[in-house]
Amino acid sequence: MTYRGAVILGVGASLPGRVVTNDDLAARLDTSDEWIRSRTGIGSRRWVEPGTSTSDLAVDAGARALRSAGTSTADAVIVATTTPDRSCPAIAPDVAARLGMIGVPAHDVAAVCTGFLYGLANAVGLIASGAARTVLLIAAETFSTILDPDDRGTAVIFGDGAGAVVVGEGEGAIGPCVLGSDGTGADLIQVPAGERYFRMSGKEVFRAAVDRMSDVALDALARAGLGPDDVDHLAPHQANRRICDAVARRLGLAESKVLADLDAVGNTAAASIPVLLADAAATGRIEAGDRVLAVAFGGGLTWGATTLVWPDVTADFGVLGEG
Ligand code: UT7
């Protein structure tokens, strides 16, 4: 079998139009703009209106990534999500069909906040095995639909959004994807069986996130034959600004190399990294040829990292329904 490498051919992201500020939340919860900003780095987030689904965001982000890649189709579709429109079936076939791709292989990936990187490893694997020459990978979430409105420990953190990439054959641009899991921590981030709302043990998760993200980022660099000095930008899962900064410190990376957008979008779970990359590319913070180290941690527990050489593409970043 001939193994093929993979590159990113297009990047897109879609956010819901409704902005929810910290003050909006403080009006009904025992919290404050000062607490949320200083403890998390989040200033506002975007939540869908009732009636807008994860699939709606996924379709818009997917269409934008395809447009960015200068194509209208792909050989396979993967959707990474924790908040599918329904628990069965997967939403990827529906998303693919709505994008005009009937007949292609399509499946969901469930790895919570590590979903995009698990999906990327899946996409690279489909290409390496010859099963597909191009893959549309979308990470889409509507965490607002599973947040307990009275739980200040989670309601202030999560936002909705979707990001997508088109992955295709090509050498050297997507480095080795290093992934891991530890199911003994499954209860730390969960929707308990039979319940409606998401629960998180914030403190324990915080500590595990810093440890696992630092270790797996170093593994991904080593597997790519790189060191921290080769990294132009750290693209960490936007869980908490303090987690991102702690990981950067452990890797010896200057704060100026840490990409961040959680001030405006919060933690969008699986969508976090592709939304961040699309935003950073669209605003010129990352440029073609830059070396990006992407790293995530989330429920499962799961974690992952990879290195990317940023492609020469125009990212398509926008708001759902606004073209
Ligand atoms: O995306 C998947 C991975 N997720 C993460 O990585 C999230 C990781 N965890 C975190 O980001 C942080 O743990 C949180 C932001 C969730 C919480 O921040 P913290 O600094 O760990 O706060 P804490 O849980 O230790 O709570 C400190 C205090 C507590 O009050 P007492 O017990 O000291 O009186 C909390 O009740 O802050 C209180 N608190 C709040 N106060 C105002 C917790 N949430 C809030 C809030 N507003 N929203």
Side-chain angles (χ1 to χ4, degrees):
M1 188 185 295
T2 309
Y3 284 95
R4 303 165 180 84
V7 300
I8 290 175
L9 303 174
V11 184
S14 175
L15 297 175
R18 176 182 164 209
V19 176
V20 178
T21 66
N22 292 343
D23 286 336
D24 292 337
L25 296 175
R28 61 169 179 76
L29 273 174
D30 182 13
T31 189
S32 65
D33 179 58
E34 198 284 327
W35 192 95
I36 301 169
R37 276 183 199 278
S38 62
R39 303 307 292 167
T40 71
I42 298 167
S44 61
R45 73 288 295 141
R46 286 166 179 262
W47 286 354
V48 292
E49 299 286 358
T52 300
S53 67
T54 295
S55 290
D56 295 333
L57 286 171
V59 167
D60 194 41
R64 291 174 186 276
L66 290 168
R67 202 186 310 160
S68 163
T71 182
S72 59
T73 190
D75 293 344
V77 175
I78 300 172
V79 178
T81 186
T82 320
T83 49
D85 305 5
R86 50 186 177 230
S87 59
C88 176
I91 66 170
D94 182 30
V95 169
R98 287 173 62 185
L99 288 166
M101 287 179 271
I102 293 173
V104 303
H107 72 279
D108 286 4
V109 166
V112 198
C113 300
T114 321
F116 175 74
L117 292 178
Y118 267 72
L120 191 64
N122 272 250
V124 171
L126 289 176
I127 289 166
S129 68
R133 296 176 68 179
T134 56
V135 179
L136 173 61
L137 165 62
I138 306 167
E141 300 280 19
T142 52
F143 255 69
S144 66
T145 62
I146 59 168
L147 291 176
D148 178 348
D150 297 325
D151 178 9
R152 65 180 182 174
T154 54
V156 304
I157 292 172
F158 290 89
D160 301 338
V165 292
V166 178
V167 180
E169 290 175 295
E171 288 312 317
I174 301 176
C177 297
V178 182
L179 305 172
S181 77
D182 175 5
T184 66
D187 292 352
L188 298 179
I189 298 175
Q190 64 164 333
V191 177
E195 292 184 25
R196 174 174 175 197
Y197 292 132
F198 173 84
R199 304 286 173 210
M200 179 170 73
S201 304
K203 244 188 175 25
E204 289 94 324
V205 170
F206 190 107
R207 277 193 293 267
V210 174
D211 289 344
R212 294 295 189 185
M213 287 170 76
S214 306
D215 289 350
V216 75
L218 287 170
D219 274 1
L221 284 175
R223 291 275 304 279
L226 302 169
D229 288 348
D230 299 310
V231 175
D232 297 309
H233 309 282
L234 180 68
H237 165 52
Q238 300 289 288
N240 183 316
R241 181 73 211 199
R242 292 184 294 137
I243 293 176
C244 301
D245 289 345
V247 171
R249 271 197 303 277
R250 286 209 189 166
L251 297 176
L253 294 175
E255 208 177 301
S256 58
K257 290 190 173 182
V258 183
L259 297 173
D261 67 350
L262 84 174
D263 174 50
V265 301
N267 178 346
T268 58
S272 169
I273 288 176
V275 168
L276 174 67
L277 292 175
D279 185 7
T283 53
R285 276 178 290 164
I286 50 178
E287 295 179 342
D290 287 354
R291 176 95 54 189
V292 178
L293 172 61
V295 58
F297 176 86
L301 303 168
T302 56
W303 54 88
T306 195
T307 54
L308 306 167
V309 178
W310 194 250
D312 188 8
V313 297
T314 303
D316 189 330
F317 183 91
V319 171
L320 184 65
E322 291 186 9

